[in-house]
Amino acid sequence: MTTTTVDGRLDLPRRRGDRPSTREHNPHQQLSQIAPAELQEELWSRMATLDGVLLGRSGVSLPDTRALHLRPRMAEGPDEAYLAGTEFAHLHGHGDGSLHICLPKDVVAQAVRQGWAEPHPMARQGYLPGTLVMVYGPRDRAELDVVWQLVRISHDFARHAATA
């Protein structure tokens, strides 16, 4: 499943099937199509290798959520690149398997349109930035690669100041 074009722009494939059921309020969770635990662990292992991340608990999610915090000296992204402090992504517990991440607005639009993500309910209501989305947990290895690419985009978003 390729997700970039020759010129380097994002070109997400369409996620197959219907969107999973999710909770429409906090805690925002994925309720169906749960990612297999081994794929969740492989995703977390990849996430842990990102440059400049500190692994820890989420400042905004349930206790079984594992979060990525960017080292403060590397956190040069805009405020809307973070969930709280320098936390830019978190992976929910095994009973859920989805992630909350912040993505640039053009990526949010494509990820939602192609069926990979949905806006956080509080972002839909205007209480949180529109950059905050739930990315559905990967159901197979091809989906894992797409989700991994979205996590890397979130990491880049958190690390780099916007260019004019």
Side-chain angles (χ1 to χ4, degrees):
M1 221 181 247
T2 184
T3 56
T4 55
T5 60
V6 174
D7 64 3
R9 287 184 298 166
L10 187 65
D11 186 20
L12 290 175
R14 180 90 184 130
R15 184 179 179 274
R16 65 180 165 71
D18 295 331
R19 291 177 185 271
S21 300
T22 59
R23 191 178 314 275
E24 302 254 344
H25 53 78
N26 285 344
H28 188 212
Q29 296 173 294
Q30 184 171 328
L31 303 173
S32 66
Q33 302 179 28
I34 306 303
E38 59 273 10
L39 290 179
Q40 292 180 43
E41 288 308 310
E42 184 169 340
L43 178 59
W44 180 251
S45 293
R46 291 181 187 188
M47 292 168 73
T49 68
L50 290 168
D51 188 40
V53 298
L54 301 169
L55 309 179
R57 291 187 60 167
S58 174
V60 294
S61 193
L62 297 171
D64 63 346
T65 299
R66 296 174 282 181
L68 297 180
H69 304 267
L70 200 56
R71 292 185 185 280
R73 64 178 161 65
M74 297 179 77
E76 296 182 1
D79 289 345
E80 62 268 15
Y82 306 97
L83 289 90
T86 62
E87 180 181 343
F88 65 92
H90 62 236
L91 178 62
H92 296 127
H94 283 174
D96 179 332
S98 66
L99 305 90
H100 278 123
I101 63 177
C102 295
L103 295 166
K105 288 182 181 175
D106 61 326
V107 178
V108 166
Q110 189 176 155
V112 170
R113 185 175 59 251
Q114 295 299 90
W116 294 99
E118 65 182 56
H120 189 284
M122 293 185 72
R124 280 195 299 265
Q125 296 169 10
Y127 295 113
L128 294 173
T131 56
L132 176 56
V133 295
M134 171 190 281
V135 173
Y136 307 128
R139 298 171 291 181
D140 58 34
R141 293 192 113 10
E143 288 188 5
L144 175 65
D145 290 339
V146 174
V147 171
W148 172 232
Q149 181 166 13
L150 291 170
V151 170
R152 290 190 336 256
I153 291 169
S154 178
H155 178 248
D156 287 344
F157 186 39
R159 289 184 59 204
H160 299 101
T163 56

